[in-house]
Amino acid sequence: MKSDSDARNQPRDAAFNVEVGAQVEHRGTQANRMEVAHTSRKAFEGSLMKNSSPAEEVSLGISTLTLTPLIPESPPVRRSQPISITSNRSKGGEFLSPSVSPIPNPFPELCSLPHSSLLNSSLPSESSDKCLIKVYGEDNSSRSVLVSRQATAREVCHLLVQSAHCSDQENWALLEHFPTLGLERCLEDHEIVLEVQATWSPKVKTRFMFSKNYAKYEVFNKQTCFFPEAMVSDSTDTMKRMTSQEFIQKLMTSETSPQIQGFLYLKGYSKKFWKKVYFTLRRSGLYRSTKVSKKDPRHLQYTADLDVSNVYKVVDGCKLYGAPTDFNFCIKPNRNQGLVKNLKILCADTEQIRTLWMSAIRLFKYKKQLQSNFQLSKLALQSPEGSKPTDSKPNSEDSLVAMDFSGKAGGRVIENPTEAQSAEQEEGQAWRKREALRCCQSNMNSEPWTSSVHKTHPWFHGGLSRKEAERLIEKQGLADGVFLVRRSHLHENCFVLSLCYELKVKHCIVVPVQRNGKMYYSIDDGVTLFIDLLQLVEFYQINKGTLPVCLKCPCICVAL
């Protein structure tokens, strides 16, 4: 007998069965319509039902009829996972050893970053004994040189001379150049190059330059007349005068206290503000007078410490700093970060006064060390190893011999070295004369002839302008006899001989002269004639003639 609760639930179960049956009939009709469109899905569901149990089959059938959407759901997103790549590479089922590289690396030095000298040139590692520095030439060409940590400026110049195959091995110098500030100075021979480079600031563009400097030790070459007596005196007795040679000798000793004094222009904080001040240079440093018209030592004010500073030549001072003249120099602290306010920019009335003050500052700063550098340079000139670089000649030249074919016997070997050298010079002169006569005869009635012999010599600088020639001679040292030859921009078929004498650059025009139907060159209105520029230069290197001084030191620009 059924209970009352079962009687009450019987109508609900009947209603529920009717509702479920209707839903099953409706879903079945809908499934028949979608049978063609979802054949693949039903096949997939059938495979699942075969692998499931009977209880699960009923449950799956109910869920399929009641929960299957009209649009199939997108498959779940499967995110990629990192996989490990083995070092061995397979090719055709065979594994290759990691030590075998099928493609060689053409730049192995760029891959080893910790040991790359190109990337670590400015910051060398502590374990490395050498460092790579970059040096620029006169033509902005550059060369990287591997130097030791204790390499001096003299040693670096020797390496550059050998690498650039310079015929003249002396009077070369390493310059420290600040293009943005317009400053440059010649490093002393004993200075350590990497220590100088360590003082550079990354905020200021700085570079090393390789150039000639003939006036580096002019203060010792002209001791008797370098400093005028009006500039030198004793600091204990300013009225006591001394000669230039006495001043240099006393400065080399530590007992006396000589000094240099004179008027200079000092740059103020404003670009156009320059003030004429009386300066005094002593062992303790540079001083200036607080009173313009008084030279009393009681009015001296400390200006610069030479022990922590260097003296630089200022290039284009009128343009950069508004200087009253072109003869400017600067006292710059070693650890300066490129601030103009920390520079002591001075201006002289003449080039001679600027040279005197810069040389005096070098003497007060280095004293005996500068004199020792000068003596070493003289020994290098006298030694046969420095003047005759026989080691640089190739071995093939040792098998060459001098021959004389002037006789009728068919030639003979010249065994005497002096005779061989004389024959070589005669042959060179005869070759130039033959070429000159040939060109003169062919151009007898046409434009003036221009030989090309001079183009192969280092003293010829092509179409260099007058201003550029003066700047090049000034950079390579305002010593008597420094010269170069260039084309004239004002006169056609003419040349210019630029010569330094008494700290000034003089320009002499070289004009073509026609005599007896032949063309010559002359600088004295045809009194002395030369068949080419090479003969002209060789003549004035021996004879002064109308020039103020003989030609001694050619301006040389070497391409690094």
Side-chain angles (χ1 to χ4, degrees):
M1 183 176 178
K2 297 180 179 180
S3 60
D4 297 336
S5 60
D6 294 336
R8 287 192 300 266
N9 293 334
Q10 187 174 3
R12 294 181 181 178
D13 294 339
F16 177 74
N17 292 332
V18 174
E19 182 179 357
V20 171
Q23 292 181 1
V24 169
E25 183 179 0
H26 176 72
R27 295 296 183 184
T29 304
Q30 186 178 4
N32 291 332
R33 296 197 200 103
M34 299 174 62
E35 183 176 1
V36 178
H38 302 284
T39 305
S40 60
R41 180 174 180 85
K42 288 181 179 293
F44 176 72
E45 292 175 356
S47 63
L48 289 177
M49 292 175 66
K50 290 179 181 179
N51 297 330
S52 60
S53 60
E56 292 175 352
E57 184 177 354
V58 177
S59 176
L60 183 60
I62 296 174
S63 62
T64 303
L65 294 174
T66 57
L67 300 177
T68 300
L70 295 177
I71 301 176
E73 296 181 359
S74 60
V77 179
R78 306 181 65 182
R79 302 188 179 277
S80 60
Q81 299 295 329
I83 60 176
S84 60
I85 301 176
T86 60
S87 59
N88 296 336
R89 295 182 294 271
S90 61
K91 181 179 179 181
E94 298 179 358
F95 289 94
L96 299 178
S97 174
S99 61
V100 178
S101 179
I103 302 177
N105 183 12
F107 306 105
E109 68 277 1
L110 298 180
C111 297
S112 56
L113 297 180
H115 306 284
S116 177
S117 59
L118 299 176
L119 300 178
N120 301 329
S121 59
S122 59
L123 296 175
S125 60
E126 295 295 335
S127 60
S128 177
D129 295 333
K130 292 189 176 182
C131 180
L132 200 66
I133 62 172
K134 195 172 185 179
V135 184
Y136 290 83
E138 296 282 355
D139 56 350
N140 289 329
S141 61
S142 62
R143 178 183 290 270
S144 297
V145 185
L146 191 64
V147 300
S148 62
R149 290 183 175 273
Q150 299 300 322
T152 61
R154 177 189 291 273
E155 295 172 351
V156 174
C157 289
H158 184 65
L159 291 175
L160 291 171
V161 165
Q162 290 182 341
S163 61
H165 305 286
C166 301
S167 58
D168 184 9
Q169 298 190 10
E170 295 302 324
N171 299 314
W172 290 99
L174 197 65
L175 275 64
E176 182 185 11
H177 183 52
F178 294 84
T180 55
L181 298 177
L183 308 179
E184 64 180 20
R185 77 175 181 99
C186 178
L187 268 67
E188 304 298 340
D189 291 342
H190 68 278
E191 287 190 79
I192 299 177
V193 178
L194 291 184
E195 291 183 358
V196 175
Q197 189 178 12
T199 62
W200 294 354
S201 172
K203 301 179 181 179
V204 183
K205 183 180 180 181
T206 317
R207 60 173 60 173
F208 286 124
M209 296 192 67
F210 182 60
S211 173
K212 281 282 188 179
N213 193 338
Y214 295 104
K216 194 173 184 177
Y217 298 112
E218 282 293 293
V219 63
F220 296 108
N221 291 326
K222 299 180 178 179
Q223 295 188 36
T224 57
C225 59
F226 193 82
F227 293 101
E229 296 185 3
M231 289 186 63
V232 296
S233 64
D234 197 333
S235 59
T236 58
D237 186 7
T238 56
M239 300 302 296
K240 183 181 179 181
R241 299 296 178 182
M242 63 181 67
T243 62
S244 175
Q245 190 171 4
E246 291 176 351
F247 168 77
I248 296 176
Q249 292 177 355
K250 290 183 177 181
L251 188 59
M252 295 297 108
T253 62
S254 58
E255 299 177 357
T256 58
S257 55
Q259 66 179 14
I260 294 283
Q261 65 272 346
F263 283 99
L264 294 171
Y265 292 95
L266 176 64
K267 182 185 178 301
Y269 293 102
S270 176
K271 181 177 181 180
K272 296 184 178 180
F273 179 74
W274 289 81
K275 184 178 180 181
K276 196 171 185 179
V277 185
Y278 190 81
F279 284 91
T280 302
L281 182 62
R282 295 178 176 177
R283 293 181 185 271
S284 55
L286 182 65
Y287 299 84
R288 62 177 176 177
S289 177
T290 57
K291 304 293 183 180
V292 178
S293 59
K294 294 184 179 181
K295 306 177 183 179
D296 196 336
R298 295 175 295 178
H299 301 287
L300 294 180
Q301 182 180 358
Y302 192 72
T303 304
D305 185 5
L306 302 182
D307 294 335
V308 296
S309 304
N310 287 312
V311 59
Y312 293 81
K313 180 179 291 186
V314 179
V315 183
D316 290 334
C318 296
K319 180 179 179 181
L320 295 176
Y321 304 105
T325 65
D326 292 330
F327 316 110
N328 312 293
F329 63 99
C330 170
I331 299 178
K332 173 184 169 297
N334 296 338
R335 296 290 179 177
N336 182 28
Q337 298 298 319
L339 300 178
V340 179
K341 65 179 182 180
N342 297 332
L343 305 178
K344 299 296 187 299
I345 304 177
L346 306 172
C347 180
D349 291 327
T350 61
E351 177 63 39
Q352 181 183 7
I353 296 178
R354 176 173 72 171
T355 304
L356 294 177
W357 276 97
M358 293 183 64
S359 302
I361 292 175
R362 292 173 58 210
L363 283 173
F364 275 100
K365 180 177 176 62
Y366 299 108
K367 302 179 181 68
K368 289 185 177 181
Q369 182 63 56
L370 198 64
Q371 190 178 28
S372 177
N373 295 342
F374 168 66
Q375 294 173 355
L376 289 176
S377 64
K378 289 180 63 177
L379 292 176
L381 287 173
Q382 296 174 0
S383 63
E385 296 179 358
S387 58
K388 297 180 181 180
T390 56
D391 297 339
S392 61
K393 293 184 178 180
N395 297 329
S396 61
E397 293 188 6
D398 298 337
S399 60
L400 301 179
V401 294
M403 298 289 294
D404 181 15
F405 296 96
S406 59
K408 298 181 179 180
R412 66 180 181 89
V413 178
I414 302 177
E415 298 180 355
N416 190 356
T418 306
E419 184 183 359
Q421 186 177 5
S422 177
E424 181 182 2
Q425 294 178 356
E426 291 178 1
E427 180 64 22
Q429 293 286 346
W431 174 79
R432 288 200 298 270
K433 289 180 180 179
R434 287 195 300 268
E435 184 186 3
L437 292 175
R438 179 179 58 82
C439 295
C440 288
Q441 291 174 359
S442 60
N443 297 330
M444 189 176 299
N445 298 322
S446 59
E447 296 295 329
W449 163 75
T450 302
S451 175
S452 59
V453 179
H454 54 271
K455 295 181 179 180
T456 60
H457 289 265
W459 41 258
F460 182 73
H461 292 265
L464 206 66
S465 65
R466 181 188 182 99
K467 190 69 175 178
E468 292 173 344
E470 293 177 352
R471 184 173 299 176
L472 181 60
I473 294 178
E474 178 183 339
K475 189 174 185 178
Q476 297 196 6
L478 292 174
D480 292 347
V482 179
F483 74 97
L484 61 86
V485 180
R486 56 188 177 87
R487 296 192 189 94
S488 176
H489 290 264
L490 299 179
H491 306 280
E492 189 177 0
N493 297 324
C494 295
F495 296 88
V496 179
L497 174 64
S498 300
L499 174 66
C500 178
Y501 177 67
E502 293 184 350
L503 302 177
K504 295 181 181 179
V505 180
K506 301 181 181 297
H507 304 276
C508 304
I509 186 71
V510 181
V511 297
V513 179
Q514 186 173 3
R515 293 288 176 87
N516 299 325
K518 299 179 181 180
M519 300 303 303
Y520 299 92
Y521 288 106
S522 177
I523 62 173
D524 52 6
D525 297 332
V527 177
T528 310
L529 302 178
F530 306 96
I531 59 175
D532 55 17
L533 294 179
L534 179 58
Q535 191 182 48
L536 182 146
V537 170
E538 290 177 347
F539 175 83
Y540 286 108
Q541 284 178 334
I542 303 174
N543 307 280
K544 184 173 67 172
T546 57
L547 299 177
V549 66
C550 292
L551 306 181
K552 299 178 181 178
C553 308
C555 284
I556 300 176
C557 294
V558 177
L560 295 178

